[in-house]
Amino acid sequence: MKTLFAKSVPGRKGVCLNEPQLKAADVLPKSMMRQSPAQLPELSELDVVRHFTRLSHLNYSVDGNFYPLGSCTMKYNPKFIEQAAALPGFTRLHPLMAQLKGAGHFTQGALAVMYDLESLLCEITGMAAYTLHPMAGAHGELTGAMLIAAYHADKGNTNKTKVIIPDSAHGTNPASAHLAGFDIVSIESRDGMVDPEALREALDDDVAAVMLTCPNTLGLFEKHLPEIVEMIHEKDALLYYDGANMNAIMGKMRVGDAGFDVVHLNLHKTFATPHGGGGPGSGPVGVSPRLKPYLPVSRVKKLEDGRFVLDYDHPKSIGYMAPFYGNFGVYLKAYAYILRLGGAGLTRASENAVLAANYIRARVSSLLEVPHNDICKHEFVCSVVGDELNGVRALDVGKALLDKGFHAPTVYFPLIVPECLMIEPTETESKSTLDDFVDALAEIIETAKTDPESVKHAPVTLPVTRLDETRAARSMELTDDV
Ligand SMILES: *Cc1c(COP(=O)(O)O)cnc(C)c1O
C-alpha cells in the first residue's frame, strides 16, 4: 500500500477555503514566513478516507474478529463508554484547573467521577481505599510494592527485603517487586496451585510480602487461599493480589474480605476500555486500612458541604505515581461500564467469562493436551505437544489461526507449560463464535497430522506472512509495499 505522499497529485485538493481576508504576510514578521511551500501530500478527501480505511482493515481488532488472547482480556468494548468519555464537560477540562483559583467548580464533575469510581472499586473488591493513579497493571504492581516497602519502613521492619512470587504468577510481578527494591524468591507450584509446603519453607522473617496472581496464569483459582493468608500474616508479611483478571471474580469473591492487603485491577481488561498497542491503560491499586496512609497523592477528598477537592496532605504518602491523576479517560469508561452493568451485571459478566472458557476447554481437551484439565476461571492453558503433530508447535498453530480469521491465543506463557496456548474467550462472545474457533483449531490439528509443512508456513493470507524474526530485527528493511 502506497503512502499518502506517494499518492499525492499536484493540485488535488481535499478542502477549498475562501480567500482569507487577512494575509499571513500582513501580520507575521518576514523572518517567520516560510520560504518554500510545505511538503504536504495533495489529495482529495476521498483519497484520504480510503487510505485510512484500508489501513484500519490491515489491523486486527476485537471490533472485527474474535481475539482470545489469554491474560490480556481483549473483550468487546461497548460503544456507549466512548460516548461517556467524549462528553465535552470532561474532554475540555485542563488538568491544572482543579488547582486554579476560581475554576474549582468546573472540575467538580470530574472529581466526583474519581471519588465515586474509587468507592465502587472498594465495594467490588472489599478494600478500604483506592488510588487511581497507576497507568497500567504493571505500574499498579510497582505502586503496590512501593506501598509495602513504605509500610515496613515505617514500622521499622528493616529485615523485610524479600518478596515471594509463585511460578504461576504473571511475568510482570517479579519485575515490579524488584524495581521497588525487593529480592525475589520464586516458589514452584504443585498441580497448578501454590504449594503451601513450598510456601512455608520459603516464608522466613525477611519476607515483606507474597504476590499472588489469582486466578493464576493457568486460569485456576488458588484452592489453598485461607491457609496461605494465615501463614503470611503470621509472619507480619503482606499479601498482594494481582487482580488484573478480576473479570473472573467480580461479584463472586472480595479480595479484601479474603485478607489481602493490596490489589491492583486492570481497568483496561476487566472494566471495558479498548487497549493494546501500548495503551491507554489504568491499574488502580486498592489497599487494606493499614496501608492507606502511604497511598500516592493527590487524593480526592469529599468535604462536608459535598464539594470535592484534591488533597495533598498525606505526610506518609509514597508521592506521585503519575502525571496529574493518571489516565482520566479510562476512568470515565470504567465508571460508565460499572454503572451500566450494576452489581448483578458485573457478576453475570464474570459467570459468562468463566462459562465461555470452560466450554472451549471442554471441547479443546479432545484435541490437545490440557495439563490442568479442571474447572478453570476466565482462561485455560493447553499444550501443543505429541508425536502425531509432526513437530508443529504452538507458534505454528497461532499463525495458522490467523489465516482462519482468528487472533492467536497468547503463546509460550506461562513458562511452566511447554508449547502452550493460553486461551481467553471473554464473556461477550456467542456460542457460535466459540464453536467456529474450536472448529478452526480442530482443522489445524488435523492438518498438522497430514500436512504439517502447510501449518509451519502459515499465515499465507495476511499482509505480513511468516517472518524470519531474527533477521527482521537485525537487518530491518522498511517498506510501504504491503
Ligand atoms: C495484563 C496483566 C498484568 C500487566 O498489566 P499491564 O497493564 O499490561 O501492565 C499483570 N498481571 C496480570 C495477571 C495480567 O493479566
Side-chain angles (χ1 to χ4, degrees):
M1 208 170 129
K2 286 183 182 171
T3 63
L4 283 181
F5 289 91
K7 287 179 184 167
S8 175
V9 178
R12 194 173 279 183
K13 281 195 165 57
V15 190
C16 295
L17 299 173
N18 292 336
E19 257 321 283
Q21 293 183 342
L22 203 58
K23 293 260 188 320
D26 300 336
V27 281
L28 289 178
K30 196 153 185 270
S31 62
M32 293 182 80
M33 298 291 291
R34 108 179 356 268
Q35 302 305 313
S36 54
Q39 299 291 304
L40 296 174
E42 298 180 67
L43 299 151
S44 70
E45 179 177 307
L46 190 56
D47 291 336
V48 177
V49 167
R50 288 197 176 144
H51 177 81
F52 284 108
T53 304
R54 274 193 206 121
L55 265 187
S56 76
H57 287 175
L58 294 181
N59 251 343
Y60 193 100
S61 75
V62 81
D63 281 357
N65 275 305
F66 185 44
Y67 209 133
L69 196 63
S71 192
C72 297
T73 317
M74 300 298 282
K75 70 184 182 185
Y76 175 70
N77 298 282
K79 297 298 169 236
F80 75 86
I81 62 167
E82 301 295 339
Q83 288 167 9
L87 288 172
F90 293 123
T91 56
R92 292 184 188 161
L93 276 181
H94 190 280
L96 283 175
M97 248 166 146
Q99 279 115 306
L100 199 65
K101 283 240 166 334
H105 58 285
F106 289 116
T107 61
Q108 288 302 301
L111 295 180
V113 166
M114 288 158 70
Y115 186 87
D116 268 1
L117 179 59
E118 286 182 9
S119 316
L120 289 167
L121 297 180
C122 284
E123 174 65 27
I124 292 168
T125 57
M127 304 309 285
Y130 263 87
T131 173
L132 300 176
H133 290 204
M135 296 169 87
H139 194 203
E141 293 167 25
L142 174 65
T143 306
M146 287 170 69
L147 292 170
I148 291 167
Y151 167 82
H152 285 306
D154 196 25
K155 280 188 77 181
N157 295 342
T158 46
N159 58 323
K160 300 273 185 196
T161 53
K162 295 193 273 190
V163 168
I164 296 179
I165 302 177
D167 60 4
S168 55
H170 194 76
T172 47
N173 288 191
S176 304
H178 181 71
L179 212 56
F182 291 109
D183 296 326
I184 311 303
V185 181
S186 176
I187 56 167
E188 268 181 43
S189 40
R190 186 158 50 94
D191 302 328
M193 295 283 141
V194 172
D195 176 1
E197 284 321 305
L199 182 60
R200 200 182 303 278
E201 237 165 71
L203 198 58
D204 56 29
D205 291 331
D206 301 348
V207 173
V210 177
M211 288 177 92
L212 287 187
T213 299
C214 191
N216 65 25
T217 50
L218 297 165
L220 303 175
F221 192 85
E222 292 296 341
K223 279 189 187 139
H224 311 291
L225 218 46
E227 193 183 342
I228 294 171
V229 172
E230 202 185 311
M231 226 190 283
I232 293 165
H233 282 166
E234 266 171 21
K235 289 283 180 192
D236 195 20
L238 299 179
L239 259 161
Y240 187 106
Y241 191 104
D242 181 334
N245 299 129
M246 193 53 61
N247 52 327
I249 302 297
M250 300 180 288
K252 295 293 171 186
M253 179 274 235
R254 299 205 317 163
V255 178
D257 298 348
F260 283 82
D261 302 285
V262 196
V263 58
H264 86 263
L265 307 175
N266 277 25
L267 296 187
H268 52 290
K269 290 180 183 170
T270 301
F271 302 101
T273 291
H275 69 286
S282 177
V285 171
V287 293
S288 61
R290 57 181 168 163
L291 288 179
K292 217 171 145 179
Y294 313 101
L295 283 172
V297 286
S298 60
R299 312 217 5 86
V300 181
K301 184 172 163 185
K302 190 172 187 176
L303 302 177
E304 273 174 16
D305 62 8
R307 279 184 308 123
F308 296 95
V309 290
L310 288 171
D311 181 14
Y312 293 84
D313 187 17
H314 296 275
K316 291 187 174 180
S317 164
I318 59 169
Y320 288 95
M321 284 307 291
F324 300 113
Y325 325 102
N327 270 331
F328 182 72
V330 181
Y331 311 161
L332 283 172
K333 293 175 192 182
Y335 185 61
Y337 183 80
I338 293 171
L339 290 185
R340 172 65 73 91
L341 266 70
L346 292 178
T347 307
R348 263 191 61 207
S350 293
E351 287 167 355
N352 288 340
V354 171
L355 181 63
N358 279 287
Y359 179 72
I360 296 195
R361 182 185 56 81
R363 283 203 59 197
V364 166
S365 59
S366 62
L367 302 172
L368 287 170
E369 195 180 317
V370 178
H372 301 281
N373 199 8
D374 201 351
I375 299 288
C376 63
K377 289 292 172 281
H378 59 299
E379 67 194 6
F380 72 99
V381 173
C382 56
S383 190
V384 184
V385 288
D387 292 342
E388 72 285 8
L389 299 180
N390 300 310
V392 163
R393 309 172 55 206
L395 180 80
D396 304 318
V397 173
K399 299 279 188 200
L401 278 166
L402 304 177
D403 270 338
K404 296 192 180 289
F406 297 101
H407 196 281
T410 298
V411 292
Y412 299 101
F413 188 77
L415 304 173
I416 49 181
V417 175
E419 295 296 331
C420 70
L421 301 174
M422 187 197 227
I423 300 175
E424 175 174 6
T426 80
E427 72 275 15
T428 33
E429 300 293 343
S430 66
K431 179 173 172 296
S432 64
T433 302
L434 304 183
D435 281 330
D436 290 348
F437 172 74
V438 183
D439 292 346
L441 194 60
E443 263 176 50
I444 293 165
I445 303 298
E446 220 27 64
T447 313
K449 292 175 186 166
T450 52
D451 178 17
E453 285 312 304
S454 74
V455 183
K456 289 178 192 173
H457 286 97
V460 292
T461 59
L462 299 190
V464 178
T465 52
R466 189 78 70 109
L467 295 174
D468 174 343
E469 286 170 13
T470 317
R471 202 165 74 81
R474 293 212 172 144
S475 54
M476 200 182 290
E477 277 168 43
L478 292 175
T479 173
D480 53 35
D481 184 22
V482 288

